[in-house]
Amino acid sequence: MGEDVSNLFAGLPPEGAPEEAFATLLAAPGARIERIVSRGQASPPGFWYDQDEDEWVAVLVGSATLRFEDDPEPRHLTPGDHVLIRAHRRHRVEATADPTIWLAVHLARR
């Protein structure tokens, strides 16, 4: 018996949505895969993510600018670009296009 088929580009939030949309696609012990849809959002001024798990992110559609606290230059990501963000590496999203669709894989540290 086959599994249900879903589409990463279906059910997107409307243009200009005030918040990013997070959808868990798969959760298993030690790992979680999610789709993130950004509609021009950025991290609030002075805010830095500091996560307990590694996170691999890829831009599927759109573009984004990431900044790492320990790196003086921002990283501009376009479709196909991906980066591994190690646990506790402080980072922020400086800008996103409307829309930007991300695929994120969260990996628990062992």
Side-chain angles (χ1 to χ4, degrees), residues 77-90:
L77 305 176
T78 58
D81 290 339
H82 56 91
V83 62
L84 177 63
I85 304 168
R86 293 288 182 192
H88 299 293
R89 186 169 186 205
R90 290 170 50 101

Side-chain angles (χ1 to χ4, degrees), residues 24 26-34 36 50-58 82-89 91 103-110:
T24 298
L26 175 75
R32 180 171 40 92
I33 300 172
E34 67 183 358
I36 305 167
D50 186 347
Q51 302 168 165
D52 291 332
E53 22 181 51
D54 290 340
E55 181 182 15
W56 175 86
V57 294
H82 56 91
V83 62
L84 177 63
I85 304 168
R86 293 288 182 192
H88 299 293
R89 186 169 186 205
H91 63 284
L103 188 62
V105 178
H106 301 270
L107 302 167
R109 300 284 302 225
R110 295 182 186 235

Side-chain angles (χ1 to χ4, degrees), residues 2 7 10-11 17-19 21 32-33 35 41 46 52 68 72-74 78-79 83 90 94 97 102 105:
N7 189 294
E19 303 287 329
R32 180 171 40 92
I33 300 172
R35 178 190 75 178
Q41 288 88 3
D52 291 332
F68 292 91
E73 295 298 318
T78 58
V83 62
R90 290 170 50 101
E94 299 258 306
W102 311 73
V105 178

Side-chain angles (χ1 to χ4, degrees), residues 2-102:
E3 298 294 325
D4 290 338
V5 175
S6 298
N7 189 294
L8 290 171
F9 306 111
L12 300 180
E15 185 176 337
E19 303 287 329
E20 286 184 305
F22 297 84
T24 298
L25 305 175
L26 175 75
R32 180 171 40 92
I33 300 172
E34 67 183 358
R35 178 190 75 178
I36 305 167
V37 180
S38 305
R39 292 286 196 171
Q41 288 88 3
S43 300
F47 175 82
W48 295 90
Y49 288 98
D50 186 347
Q51 302 168 165
D52 291 332
E53 22 181 51
D54 290 340
E55 181 182 15
W56 175 86
V57 294
V59 171
L60 305 178
V61 171
S63 63
T65 302
L66 290 180
R67 181 173 293 277
F68 292 91
E69 187 177 47
D70 62 353
D71 192 346
E73 295 298 318
R75 298 190 189 187
H76 304 287
L77 305 176
T78 58
D81 290 339
H82 56 91
V83 62
L84 177 63
I85 304 168
R86 293 288 182 192
H88 299 293
R89 186 169 186 205
R90 290 170 50 101
H91 63 284
R92 54 182 282 109
V93 178
E94 299 258 306
T96 60
D98 184 2
T100 297
I101 302 174
W102 311 73

